[in-house]
């Protein structure tokens, strides 16, 4: 994982204004679109996503059986099949739709709204957005925490609020300390084997999606390189 700003500089960085001097963990985050997308991917309901997938696949199977076994009208068959495909596609887009709404809200609020300051104490998590005042949320307000090498995301019980902390933004403490601290203070309800299974399936699907996205980027880079070589040859002929 990335080191904190403090460890990079080799000396303690000054604390942002309003942070308690005894706060053991302090973080400055500039919320990027990629961080929002990752946060929404990590926290969107896996069960809801799989409900979309299952319903869409069931519609597709129904359309095929209806067509092959009962000779359904071609137009009706195509329409049902399209609805099934659209349902599967919509399920895969749920995290991106959440991210799109959040990014739209950030854009409307202005660039300053992307700047966040966090501090963690035994009492709770202090959050400052832009130039606003700090608001402290007790740890019992959070019902889930999930971390990757780049972000730590916390969700609030009964709310759609999502807190995203950049792992490379610590001016006091570090990301490993923060993950351990949050893990010891946020009490997550037991999600059960079914929900954990859904989350595992979604992680697998997201992994496939990441591989395909990387392949598309490589293909685009190769295409651009070929275009540039062709352009260079044409320029030399002139």
């Amino acid at each position: 994982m990335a080191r904190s700003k403090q460890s990079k500089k080799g000396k303690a960085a000054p604390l942002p204004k309003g942070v308690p001097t005894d706060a053991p963990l302090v973080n400055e985050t500039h919320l990027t679109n990629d961080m929002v997308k990752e946060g929404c991917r990590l926290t969107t309901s896996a069960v809801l996503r799989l409900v979309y997938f299952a319903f869409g696949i069931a519609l597709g199977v129904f359309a095929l059986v209806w067509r092959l076994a009962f000779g359904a009208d071609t137009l009706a068959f195509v329409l049902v099949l399209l609805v099934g495909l659209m349902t599967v596609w919509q399920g895969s887009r749920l995290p991106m739709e959440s991210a799109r709404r959040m990014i739209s809200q950030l854009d409307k609020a202005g660039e300053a709204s992307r700047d966040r300051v966090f501090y963690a104490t035994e009492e709770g998590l202090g959050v400052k957005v832009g130039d606003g005042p700090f608001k402290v949320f007790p740890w019992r307000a959070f019902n889930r925490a999930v971390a990757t090498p780049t972000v730590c995301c916390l969700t609030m019980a009964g709310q759609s609020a999502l807190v995203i902390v950049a792992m490379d933004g610590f001016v006091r403490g570090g990301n490993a300390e923060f993950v351990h601290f949050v893990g010891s203070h946020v009490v997550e309800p037991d999600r059960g084997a079914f929900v954990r299974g859904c989350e595992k399936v979604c992680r697998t699907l997201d992994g496939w999606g990441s591989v395909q996205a990387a392949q598309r980027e490589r293909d685009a880079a190769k295409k651009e390189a070929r275009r540039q070589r062709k352009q260079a040859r044409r320029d030399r002929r002139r």
Side-chain angles (χ1 to χ4, degrees):
M1 288 186 176
R3 293 176 296 177
S4 67
K5 294 179 181 179
Q6 179 179 352
S7 61
K8 286 180 181 179
K9 297 177 181 178
K11 60 180 180 179
L15 294 179
K17 185 178 179 180
V19 175
T21 57
D22 60 345
L25 294 155
V26 182
N27 178 286
E28 292 180 317
T29 292
H30 180 75
L31 203 55
T32 65
N33 290 350
D34 286 341
M35 292 168 62
V36 172
K37 292 175 184 177
E38 184 170 7
C40 291
R41 179 181 61 80
L42 291 169
T43 56
T44 298
S45 171
V47 175
L48 182 60
R49 292 176 66 185
L50 288 188
V51 166
Y52 274 83
F53 291 146
F55 185 68
I57 292 171
L59 280 177
V61 171
F62 169 76
L64 289 173
V65 172
W66 191 25
R67 174 67 171 173
L68 297 176
F70 301 99
D73 179 73
T74 300
L75 180 59
F77 163 71
V78 171
L79 287 176
V80 174
L81 189 61
L82 284 176
V83 171
L85 292 173
M86 287 296 294
T87 303
V88 172
W89 179 80
Q90 186 63 36
S92 68
R93 293 282 301 172
L94 285 176
M96 290 304 298
E97 286 300 312
S98 298
R100 182 186 59 79
R101 289 191 294 269
M102 189 171 178
I103 290 171
S104 177
Q105 292 171 357
L106 289 169
D107 289 341
K108 289 178 181 178
E111 189 66 20
S113 67
R114 293 177 178 266
D115 293 327
R116 313 290 170 95
V117 179
F118 305 97
Y119 68 83
T121 65
E122 292 295 330
E123 287 71 35
L125 182 69
V127 181
K128 178 182 179 183
V129 178
D131 297 327
F134 272 102
K135 186 173 182 179
V136 180
F137 298 92
W139 293 113
R140 65 177 179 275
F142 300 99
N143 65 347
R144 190 180 178 198
V146 57
T148 70
T150 55
V151 297
C152 180
C153 302
L154 298 97
T155 60
M156 295 186 179
Q159 299 184 40
S160 59
L162 173 62
V163 176
I164 303 175
V165 181
M167 286 300 208
D168 62 354
F170 287 93
V171 296
R172 176 180 285 179
N175 45 23
E177 297 169 72
F178 183 75
V179 170
H180 177 75
F181 191 89
V182 169
S184 64
H185 287 76
V186 175
V187 179
E188 298 188 25
D190 183 19
R191 298 192 297 279
F194 176 72
V195 175
R196 291 195 297 271
C198 291
E199 291 173 348
K200 185 175 181 180
V201 172
C202 286
R203 284 196 298 270
T204 301
L205 294 173
D206 289 337
W208 290 344
S210 299
V211 170
Q212 292 172 349
Q215 183 61 50
R216 287 195 295 270
E217 290 180 1
R218 288 193 293 269
D219 292 342
K222 290 178 182 178
K223 185 176 180 180
E224 178 62 19
R226 287 195 297 268
R227 188 194 66 78
Q228 291 180 358
R229 286 196 297 269
K230 289 180 181 178
Q231 184 63 42
R233 287 195 294 269
R234 285 196 292 267
D235 293 343
R236 285 195 296 269
R237 293 192 188 108
R238 293 173 185 170

